[in-house]
Amino acid sequence: MTARKIVKNVLSVGAIDWDRRLFDELIPLPDGTTYNSYLIKGKDKVALLDTVDPTKARDLIENLAELGVDRIDYVIAHHAEQDHSGSIPKILDVYKMAKVVTNPKCKEMLKDHLLVPEDRFITIADRETLSLGDKTLEFIYAPWVHWPETMFTYLREDKILFTCDFLGSHLAQSELYARDLGKVYGSNKRYYAEIMMPFRTSIRQNLDKIKPLEIKIVATSHGPIFDDPEFILNAYRDWSSDNVKNEVVLPYVSMHGSTAEMVRHFIDALMKRGITVKPFDLPRTDVGELAMALVDAATIVIGTPTVLVGPHPAAVYAAYLANALRPKTRFVSIIGSFGWAGKTVEQLAALIPNLKVEVIPPVMAKGFPKKEDFAALDNLAEQIFLKHQTLGHS
Ligand code: FEO
């Protein structure tokens, strides 16, 4: 990997992780990822903005060596998570005079997680500036996108906003810029769903905060960067808004086919009413796809059989995930089956306290669904149709 120029004296020097397929031992990465790091060479000082995942430290060090960088004055840390900060100790070891520039919260986290010594830090305040000679860095606190210490840097002369995770995507590609916009949109939406969605209020606040800035380039720390910033800013405005779509997300699991038969009928009933439905067979589902579907659907319906006395563990996981991701969903219901008795509905409902939703009465069939169960599913689809009509959805 070689360094790539963005504008004069501003270079991308990070690493592409083509083969990574899992993040946090939790999030699937179907397209790998990148850890973007940026070098800004001022007339008087040199700054490195973020580093890379420690597994890719060698790429970063080699890129800097290829460029003949023999001095780094400042390492700007936007975020303490290790995929960006994990190579800071290595950089501080190679570049002995370098200081880590960050906010007080991030400093404490870097001390905790990476054992960076106290005397290597310079702390900055919100909107404070740092001159590199002919280039000025303005630091903008941006808490909770997605940790409490997250911040941005605005390079005033070149009008580049460095946003770290915010506006980023897990998408490995050799092209520096976002060009295949269909692909980029999907990757960014997936990233938003998995990482940013629980922080919608903070996202809106931070979008407002950067609104007055003239931005020519958005340089994130994952995925391709944007020389048409409105593309990604508009997408974030839409995703983080309260607008929901005429969609039902239907995560389900079936053991002996009863719930599957109900799901099959229910999908038809929704489609007949012009409602978009996105079913996810949970044992075979990429949870990133499920998370992405949750971004703007008006309704979630979970399909589950009864195992012992409660929901199937796969359905429990889906409910837990939805509760953690806090989508803007308005309505929730449950469909499924039971053999003799159980508390499936009560147990699932208890798993989603974070969702500000109206619960539409569930449809639970005893054994294989019968005529009255199919009629109840039709009625559920009709209720969802009527409720969606009230939303002014797109
Ligand atoms: Fe890419 Fe929150 O780290």
Side-chain angles (χ1 to χ4, degrees), residues 23 79 81-84 146-147 164-165 170 191 195 222:
F23 198 89
H79 179 26
E81 194 165 8
Q82 290 87 338
D83 51 325
H84 310 290
H146 61 124
W147 279 15
C164 200
D165 282 341
H170 286 309
Y191 187 90
I195 311 293
H222 291 297

Side-chain angles (χ1 to χ4, degrees), residues 27 146 165 170 190-199 325:
I27 299 169
H146 61 124
D165 282 341
H170 286 309
R190 175 188 264 265
Y191 187 90
Y192 168 88
E194 293 164 337
I195 311 293
M196 297 290 164
M197 187 153 65
F199 308 101
L325 294 176

Side-chain angles (χ1 to χ4, degrees), residues 1-5 10-14 37-41 48 60-71 95:
M1 228 289 279
T2 52
R4 288 160 297 169
K5 177 183 164 187
V10 179
L11 299 107
S12 174
V13 294
S37 170
Y38 301 99
L39 187 75
I40 305 181
K41 296 191 284 187
L48 183 71
L60 175 62
I61 297 293
E62 286 182 1
N63 287 341
L64 295 171
E66 267 182 42
L67 291 168
V69 176
D70 56 8
R71 194 190 93 213
Y95 296 94

Side-chain angles (χ1 to χ4, degrees), residues 125-190:
D126 188 24
R127 307 315 288 238
E128 191 172 333
T129 58
L130 178 66
S131 176
L132 306 180
D134 55 345
K135 292 190 187 288
T136 312
L137 307 181
E138 178 182 354
F139 304 109
I140 302 171
Y141 284 18
W144 292 110
V145 291
H146 61 124
W147 279 15
E149 87 299 4
T150 43
M151 69 174 200
F152 309 149
T153 295
Y154 181 59
L155 175 53
R156 283 183 175 172
E157 289 77 8
D158 298 298
K159 300 181 173 35
I160 303 174
L161 184 67
F162 298 91
T163 57
C164 200
D165 282 341
F166 192 61
L167 311 176
S169 65
H170 286 309
L171 175 57
Q173 61 171 49
S174 57
E175 168 65 54
L176 182 61
Y177 287 98
R179 292 289 177 254
D180 180 352
L181 294 182
K183 177 71 180 172
V184 168
Y185 184 89
S187 295
N188 273 273
K189 189 172 186 181
R190 175 188 264 265

